[in-house]
Amino acid sequence: MRLGSPGLLLLLFSSLRADTQEKEVRAMVGSDVELSCACPEGSRFDLNDVYVYWQTSESKTVVTYHIPQNSSLDNVDSHYRNRALMSPAGMQRGDFSLRLFNVTPQDEQKFHCLVLSQSLGFQEVLSVVVTLHVAANFSVPVVSIPHNPSQDELTFTCTSINGYPRPNVYWINKTDNSLLDQALQNDTVFLNTRGLYDVVSVLRIARTPSLNIGCCIENVLLRQNLTVGSQTGNSIGERDKITENPVSTREKTEVTWSVLAVLCLLVAVAVAIGWVCRDRWLRRSYAGVWAVRPEPELAGHV
């Protein structure tokens, strides 16, 4: 019996009942990952005897496959075409692992590897399910500070982008490292065009004389917490006053112009002195020439 198409393989797979190995692997978005599916070391296989099939467990999407004397991969799903590869040399050694290139968030699912032997009546040789977890680092959170610290209620906004999976967002009272009531915050989390998560969290809290809070973006899969602090109080008002005081700026401008005027005056005086000295030197040089000329003899002088 010869199975010449993945469709027939699917019919056969549905009738198989055997123990399946379970594995998990993690990969960063944009990286390459290997999904392991291998027999014990020392195994040898004839590629004209084995049928190897990789598909997703839930949607049954065809990832890649090996069928003896059939090099066509026309049935591979477009999402995995040219991205999923098995090594022929590895398969001969019993290593049917899948190399997946340029991992995307859509790749986070279960992958099923099934190996059958034709000479054994299409008996199952190996069955492995690999769960792929995908992750991406969130950007460092950016926290906006209220522009009007005199109002009764302060509004903070925390933004972080391009992470995976969906994050947890916390606001922290950094004075005692306690978590603020989540009822005070409103989180908006959405998928961007890259399939990654962007998050915007808005915190509204009553104003106190001094607040020292932080925004924390938690990536559970990477065990990563990105926290940025933001402190409000008298120091904020003083900083704004120094930065935005127009009088200070005008005074600095006036001082600058005064210094430039003095420098210009000194240069002009130096140039004038130079011209005077040069003129006097030229006059002395000219008189000396006449002094060395002999006086003409008087007519009739004996």
Side-chain angles (χ1 to χ4, degrees):
M1 177 181 178
R2 179 177 297 278
L3 298 180
S5 71
L8 292 177
L9 279 175
L10 283 174
L11 294 176
L12 179 62
F13 292 167
S14 62
S15 63
L16 293 173
R17 296 291 184 272
D19 293 336
T20 300
Q21 301 178 33
E22 296 277 350
K23 299 181 179 181
E24 293 189 6
V25 64
R26 298 178 182 178
M28 300 295 289
V29 171
S31 68
D32 303 335
V33 66
E34 183 176 273
L35 308 184
S36 178
C37 178
C39 292
E41 187 176 352
S43 302
R44 299 294 299 178
F45 288 87
D46 182 358
L47 296 186
N48 291 320
D49 180 59
V50 292
Y51 287 73
V52 186
Y53 199 79
W54 277 94
Q55 68 177 16
T56 59
S57 296
E58 296 182 2
S59 63
K60 309 302 180 185
T61 299
V62 178
V63 178
T64 192
Y65 53 86
H66 165 76
I67 297 177
Q69 301 177 1
N70 184 347
S71 59
S72 173
L73 294 176
D74 294 339
N75 292 281
V76 170
D77 186 83
S78 59
H79 181 66
Y80 295 105
R81 188 162 294 152
N82 300 322
R83 293 183 55 232
L85 179 67
M86 291 185 294
S87 167
M91 288 190 288
Q92 291 178 331
R93 300 191 303 270
D95 187 353
F96 306 98
S97 300
L98 176 72
R99 189 72 176 175
L100 187 61
F101 301 95
N102 192 20
V103 171
T104 71
Q106 291 75 27
D107 295 326
E108 184 171 72
Q109 51 191 308
K110 294 180 182 292
F111 294 82
H112 188 190
C113 167
L114 191 58
V115 182
L116 307 174
S117 172
Q118 182 178 355
S119 61
L120 297 177
F122 292 99
Q123 178 181 340
E124 178 182 315
V125 176
L126 185 62
S127 177
V128 178
V129 172
V130 182
T131 301
L132 176 58
H133 300 285
V134 177
N137 289 312
F138 281 90
S139 65
V140 176
V142 176
V143 179
S144 65
I145 301 174
H147 296 291
N148 184 8
S150 63
Q151 59 188 351
D152 295 334
E153 183 183 77
L154 298 178
T155 300
F156 295 85
T157 302
C158 178
T159 305
S160 184
I161 63 174
N162 291 329
Y164 200 90
R166 186 185 179 95
N168 295 322
V169 185
Y170 306 100
W171 288 91
I172 304 171
N173 182 349
K174 299 192 71 175
T175 303
D176 57 6
N177 290 324
S178 62
L179 294 179
L180 296 176
D181 187 354
Q182 290 193 322
L184 300 174
Q185 68 188 68
N186 182 20
D187 301 335
T188 302
V189 183
F190 54 92
L191 287 172
N192 58 29
T193 56
R194 298 177 56 191
L196 303 175
Y197 284 104
D198 294 346
V199 57
V200 178
S201 180
V202 179
L203 174 73
R204 291 182 173 85
I205 189 170
R207 184 181 185 278
T208 59
S210 180
L211 282 176
N212 189 0
I213 64 173
C215 174
C216 176
I217 304 295
E218 181 187 29
N219 190 322
V220 176
L221 184 61
L222 296 178
R223 298 179 180 178
Q224 179 185 66
N225 292 317
L226 298 175
T227 304
V228 172
S230 176
Q231 185 171 357
T232 65
N234 295 332
S235 60
I236 293 288
E238 293 173 357
R239 181 190 63 190
D240 293 341
K241 182 178 180 181
I242 294 172
T243 303
E244 300 177 0
N245 187 355
V247 175
S248 298
T249 302
R250 184 169 61 251
E251 290 176 353
K252 290 180 179 179
T253 302
E254 292 175 354
V255 170
T256 300
W257 281 110
S258 298
V259 172
L260 289 176
V262 171
L263 289 176
C264 290
L265 180 59
L266 291 176
V267 171
V269 171
V271 171
I273 293 174
W275 275 104
V276 170
C277 293
R278 179 177 179 274
D279 184 67
R280 291 180 177 178
W281 181 84
L282 289 176
R283 287 175 180 273
R284 285 198 302 270
S285 299
Y286 189 70
V289 172
W290 281 105
V292 298
R293 290 185 60 186
E295 295 183 358
E297 294 180 359
L298 297 176
H301 178 74
V302 179

